[in-house]
């Protein structure tokens, strides 16, 4: 395109500092960014790399507790660092728009979607109300939302997460901005839903020739969306290149390590002969009080030393199955056996030893560890509670556990969880589960809140512990890359039913159950043409319905 | 033009220039606008108006100085983790802490500080201040200053005991309700609603007229009135904690309710509770003072700020400030406690710039 050459956003030597309560520390250490009209740039990096901070800075905005200390941000010839609040406010919403990670949290639940959509055009007097509403419906149609004429008159909680994310993209488009900032718009979505949103975003950005900054930590996603990719690490640029070039020949070691993460895989194991399964879930039905049935005749076995991955979209009943095994939600039908012995359905009726056998590692290490309790006590308590260890014995055991999870006991013994990084917290969560000396551990999305490199470390650790301690894992996840890396057997769940189960190798080779096929094909691949090819295969018009199978 | 006026303006202008030189923008603006306002004030109100401004500014500076010094003092003598927190405290909070500290000293060492006994008649009624009596005498000829000092012990002590009682009852019930949940939670909640539906002053008056105005009755009555508020706050705060995964992990480990409350929930709910303690203390203090004013609180001849206001109230029509002194003592403590509470609320809410 001819106007592609025109520079829309020019950030030079941007430095941003954050206040820690005592001093200002640098967050962004001199980043340059040049974005042309109609260009889509992907910003990737681990958490703390400063992706979102740069995204906000592109609107001339510094979040609370941060300040732009140096550099210039020029948007279409206008210097934003020195512009007044009123001038910047006039830009935001009309010429620069922002799409946040969680659409559910960004929409006001008290107003209809279309009313929120038309707010900006009415405020800037670009359109009259009726005009704006018609335009909104047009955008909904282009974004392939079902019932575009009607969907806007619903409240945010009445539509699904993927639809809401698309409605938010439509809202960002309302004033036909020159630049949209997408801050992890699909991270909170299931793979199948993610596809619809990605396709919709890509089309609409293309149609209106809008420039965009696409922030994500998922390489495969950014490969589909961006023309150029910029890799960030700790507030500094690592490298920038056009997407194809970046994927084929990354220059820097850090970028190469990011690319390599997904290659980790361990050999598959088969079931031990002549043993009873450590945990056997038999024909379990479950429902929440007065509500819908969430589990329907679910059965699977988990053997000693093996990892069973339970996969499915959110709402498929993966976590509910885990709650039934732990006894938090007594099943309404069926039973759970441990080494052939039935477990009491309610955890309150289980003996100390039965409780000890089943341990859990949580998704959010932040909420899984009491922030006001020292590491030594978090890990020490189960050991003390179950084995009655005290004094020097207890300290010795805690040190042993810390060694096991590859953290230095002398450094971590007396610290509190908030002082640790995400990966370290997750390791403490693992140590707490190990302290009970269980035979079976439920891992509930343990890596999904972590950066890829950190997640890989956790997976390797879990794998090593499994070999050393002969543990059985139930691995709940929606990330098929994780399944490929660590699982021995796979259970695919949909709407509370087990759709398909079997050894991993079989599951990953066709023929599949149609739902398994949909899940597998929805996982983004590094190939930048993957989305286009996939949409052609499925038929573009059907992408929405395909996900609702 | 008196010497005072010349010094007054000289000081203002010199300090404005200093502030401007060291690029202290807000200070300079304040000082220089004060200078400009002083021109008008001087013309309209004359020297007395300027004297008033100077006194007020002097008092403020004095209070700020004391607060600053007191904060530095705490930072130096306190252990490392506390002094780190105190260093970030605003001057208002330091001032509040200083006032509370002073009241505590006055209350604890009352018999040694007060020159006379609290019910000792030493002069004629409403005698003027002299070198024996710092603040003059009350309606029976007792030393006002001694009674203020003893009042700190009686009134503040009573309010503190009542607040503590209310807190133990309310917080324990709230934690238990949040942890147990189900019908127990419902029952406690509705029970608290019932107590809260009775107007507090009427309830206190009722209790005191049935059981007589003894100290224990006052404490119990006030504790019952304020416990439901504490209960509701604690339950709400603990309610947010019990849904955390670490509570689930502890439950699945087989921990008992008491362990859950003590080790897992309480440490994560203390910050808002401490802030609430300060606020409730002010309300309790005012209620106790109000009861005394109505004659149902602490009984004479025991010194108490609330009843001192009432007993000396007639003096106000003669232009005497005597009845205002205990009232000011109440006001100062309330303000001081609120300063400290504001700071704690700020810290616990995690609102940072």
């Amino acid at each position: 395109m001819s106007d592609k050459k025109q520079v829309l956003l020019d950030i030079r030597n941007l430095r941003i500092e954050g206040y820690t309560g005592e001093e200002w520390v640098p967050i962004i250490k001199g980043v340059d960014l040049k974005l042309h009209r109609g260009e889509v740039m992907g910003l990737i990096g681990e958490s703390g790399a400063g992706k979102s901070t740069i995204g906000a800075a592109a609107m001339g905005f510094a979040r609370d507790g941060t300040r732009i200390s140096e550099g210039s941000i020029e948007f279409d010839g206008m210097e934003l660092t020195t512009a007044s609040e009123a001038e910047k406010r006039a830009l935001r919403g009309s010429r620069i728009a922002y799409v946040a990670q969680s659409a559910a949290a960004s929409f006001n639940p008290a107003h209809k979607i279309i009313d929120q959509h038309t707010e900006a055009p009415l405020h800037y007097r670009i359109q009259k109300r009726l005009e704006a509403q018609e335009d909104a419906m047009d955008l909904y149609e282009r974004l392939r939302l079902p019932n575009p004429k009607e969907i806007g008159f619903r409240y945010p909680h009445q539509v699904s997460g993927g639809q809401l994310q698309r409605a938010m993209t439509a809202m960002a488009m309302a004033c036909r901005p020159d630049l949209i900032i997408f801050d992890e718009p699909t991270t909170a979505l299931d793979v199948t839903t993610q596809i619809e949103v990605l396709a919709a975003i890509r089309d609409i950005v293309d149609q209106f020739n809008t420039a965009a900054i696409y922030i994500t930590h998922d390489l495969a996603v950014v490969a589909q969306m961006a023309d150029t990719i910029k890799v960030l690490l700790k507030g500094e640029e690592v490298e920038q290149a056009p997407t194809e070039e970046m994927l084929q020949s990354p220059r820097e070691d850090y970028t190469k390590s990011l690319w390599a993460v997904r290659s980790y895989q361990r050999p598959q194991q088969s079931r031990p002969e002549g043993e009873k399964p450590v945990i056997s879930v038999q024909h379990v039905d479950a429902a929440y009080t007065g509500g819908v049935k969430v589990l329907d005749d679910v059965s699977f076995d988990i053997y000693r030393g093996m990892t069973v991955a339970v996969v499915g979209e959110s709402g498929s009943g993966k976590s509910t199955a885990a709650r039934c095994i732990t006894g938090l939600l007594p099943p309404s039908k069926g039973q759970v056996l441990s080494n052939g012995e039935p477990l009491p359905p309610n955890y309150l009726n289980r003996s100390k030893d039965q409780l000890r056998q089943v341990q859990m590692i949580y998704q959010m290490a932040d909420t899984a560890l009491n922030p006001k309790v020292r590491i030594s006590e978090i890990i020490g308590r189960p050991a003390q509670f179950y084995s009655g260890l005290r004094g020097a014995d207890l300290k010795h055991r805690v040190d042993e556990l810390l060694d096991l999870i590859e953290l230095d006991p002398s450094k971590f013994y007396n610290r509190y969880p908030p002082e640790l990084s995400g990966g370290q917290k997750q390791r403490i969560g693992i140590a707490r589960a190990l302290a009970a000396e269980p035979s079976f551990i439920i891992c509930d999305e343990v890596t999904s809140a972590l950066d890829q490199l950190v997640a890989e470390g956790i997976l390797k650790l879990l794998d090593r512990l499994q070999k050393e301690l002969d543990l059985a894992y139930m691995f709940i996840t929606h990330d098929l890359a994780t399944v490929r890396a660590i699982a021995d057997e796979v259970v695919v769940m949909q709407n509370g039913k087990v759709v398909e189960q079997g050894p991993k190798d079989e599951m990953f080779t066709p023929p599949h159950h149609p739902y398994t096929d949909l899940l597998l094909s929805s996982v983004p691949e590094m190939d930048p043409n993957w989305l286009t090819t996939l949409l052609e295969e499925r038929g573009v018009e059907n992408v929405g319905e395909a996900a609702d199978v | 033009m008196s010497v005072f006026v010349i010094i007054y303006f000289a000081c203002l202008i010199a300090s404005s220039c200093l502030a401007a030189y060291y690029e202290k923008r807000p200070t300079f603006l304040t000082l220089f606008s004060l200078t400009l306002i002083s021109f008008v004030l001087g013309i309209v109100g004359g020297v007395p108006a300027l004297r008033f401004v100077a006194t007020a500014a002097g008092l403020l500076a004095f209070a700020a100085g004391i607060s600053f010094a007191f904060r530095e003092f705490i930072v130096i003598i306190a252990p490392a983790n506390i002094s780190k927190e105190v260093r970030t405290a605003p001057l208002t909070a330091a001032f509040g802490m200083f006032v509370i500290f002073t009241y505590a000293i006055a209350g604890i060492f009352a018999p040694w500080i007060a020159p006379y006994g609290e019910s000792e008649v030493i002069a004629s009624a409403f005698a003027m201040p002299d070198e024996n009596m710092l603040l003059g005498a009350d309606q029976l000829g007792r030393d006002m200053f001694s009674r203020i000092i003893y009042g700190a012990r009686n009134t503040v002590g009573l309010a503190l005991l009542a607040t503590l009682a209310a807190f133990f009852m309310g917080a324990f019930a709230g934690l238990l309700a949040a942890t147990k949940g189900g019908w127990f939670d419902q029952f406690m909640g509705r029970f608290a609603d019932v107590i809260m539906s009775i107007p507090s002053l009427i309830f206190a008056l009722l209790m005191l007229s049935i059981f007589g105005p003894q100290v224990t009755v006052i404490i119990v009555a006030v504790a019952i009135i304020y416990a439901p508020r504490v209960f509701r706050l604690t339950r709400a705060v603990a309610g947010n904690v019990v849904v955390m995964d670490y509570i689930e992990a502890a439950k699945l480990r087989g921990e008992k309710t008491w362990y859950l409350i003590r080790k897992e929930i309480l440490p994560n709910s203390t910050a808002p509770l401490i802030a609430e303690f300060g606020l409730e203390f002010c309300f309790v203090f005012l209620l106790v003072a109000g009861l005394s004013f109505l004659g149902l609180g602490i009984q004479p001849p025991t010194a108490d700020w609330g009843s001192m206001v009432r007993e000396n109230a007639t003096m106000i029509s003669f232009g005497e400030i005597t009845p205002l002194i205990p009232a000011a003592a109440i006001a100062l403590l309330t303000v001081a406690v609120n300063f400290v509470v504001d700071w704690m609320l700020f810290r616990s809410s995690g609102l940072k710039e």
Side-chain angles (χ1 to χ4, degrees), chain A residues 65 328 367 370 381 385-386, chain B residues 246 253 255 259 264 268 353:
Chain A
L328 280 168
T367 60
N370 190 336
R381 178 67 190 173
F385 187 78
Y386 292 121
Chain B
Y246 53 83
R253 193 157 64 223
E255 301 285 6
Y259 176 90
E264 306 278 354
N268 288 294
E353 259 189 281

Side-chain angles (χ1 to χ4, degrees), chain B residues 95-108:
Chain B
F95 177 73
M97 285 190 274
F98 176 72
V99 171
I100 293 169
F101 176 74
T102 316
Y103 275 56
I105 294 290
I108 295 165

Side-chain angles (χ1 to χ4, degrees), chain A residues 19 21-22 64-66 323 326-328 347 352 355 360 362-364 366-373 377-378 381-382 385-386 432, chain B residues 84 87-88 241 243-256 259-260 262-271 352-353:
Chain A
Y19 195 60
E22 275 159 29
D64 282 353
T66 66
R323 289 175 74 83
T326 56
L328 280 168
Y347 76 95
K352 243 183 181 179
L355 288 171
M360 194 152 169
Y362 293 85
Q363 173 176 11
M364 304 299 292
D366 286 325
T367 60
L369 304 179
N370 190 336
K372 296 287 166 75
V373 177
E377 207 184 330
I378 290 178
R381 178 67 190 173
F385 187 78
Y386 292 121
R432 178 175 62 187
Chain B
K84 196 180 160 201
R87 194 171 289 137
T88 63
V241 179
V243 294
M244 290 297 192
D245 288 338
Y246 53 83
I247 304 291
E248 191 182 294
K251 279 183 181 170
L252 281 178
R253 193 157 64 223
E255 301 285 6
K256 300 279 179 294
Y259 176 90
L260 286 178
R262 196 166 46 91
K263 284 284 186 175
E264 306 278 354
I265 302 174
L266 197 56
N268 288 294
S269 352
T270 38
K352 304 253 160 68
E353 259 189 281

Side-chain angles (χ1 to χ4, degrees), chain B residues 97-250:
Chain B
M97 285 190 274
F98 176 72
V99 171
I100 293 169
F101 176 74
T102 316
Y103 275 56
I105 294 290
I108 295 165
F109 299 106
W112 292 277
I113 295 172
Y116 302 100
E118 57 180 320
S119 51
E120 211 175 321
V121 178
I122 54 156
S124 58
F126 299 126
M128 296 302 282
D130 54 27
E131 63 256 31
N132 268 333
M133 297 179 295
L134 195 60
L135 299 171
D138 70 354
Q139 89 284 10
L140 294 177
R142 295 171 294 194
D143 179 30
M144 199 69 186
F145 177 70
S146 303
R147 285 180 67 76
I148 295 272
I149 297 291
Y150 274 101
R153 165 181 274 201
N154 301 328
T155 318
V156 179
L158 182 73
L160 198 62
L161 277 180
T163 321
L164 279 175
F167 251 77
F168 277 116
M169 281 160 52
F172 184 70
L175 288 170
L176 209 57
T179 319
K180 288 266 179 199
W183 67 266
F184 181 77
D185 186 19
Q186 285 296 322
F187 172 76
M188 293 303 284
R190 298 299 79 76
F191 185 64
D193 288 349
V194 170
I195 299 179
M196 284 184 93
S197 65
I198 308 170
S200 54
L201 198 57
I202 308 256
F203 181 76
L205 291 178
L206 197 73
M207 294 277 284
L208 287 167
S209 31
I210 295 172
F211 298 105
Q214 293 140 5
V215 176
T216 41
V217 179
I218 300 175
I219 292 176
V220 171
V222 173
I224 291 175
I225 291 169
Y226 283 98
R229 297 176 183 228
V230 183
F231 165 81
R232 302 230 302 199
L233 178 85
T234 317
R235 193 189 153 278
V237 173
N240 288 334
V241 179
V242 288
V243 294
M244 290 297 192
D245 288 338
Y246 53 83
I247 304 291
E248 191 182 294

Side-chain angles (χ1 to χ4, degrees), chain A residues 343-374:
Chain A
L343 281 173
N346 194 324
Y347 76 95
L348 291 171
N349 303 326
R350 292 186 185 174
S351 71
K352 243 183 181 179
D353 195 50
Q354 284 168 332
L355 288 171
R356 187 178 65 79
Q357 291 293 334
V358 180
Q359 290 295 318
M360 194 152 169
I361 305 169
Y362 293 85
Q363 173 176 11
M364 304 299 292
D366 286 325
T367 60
L369 304 179
N370 190 336
K372 296 287 166 75
V373 177
R374 286 179 200 281

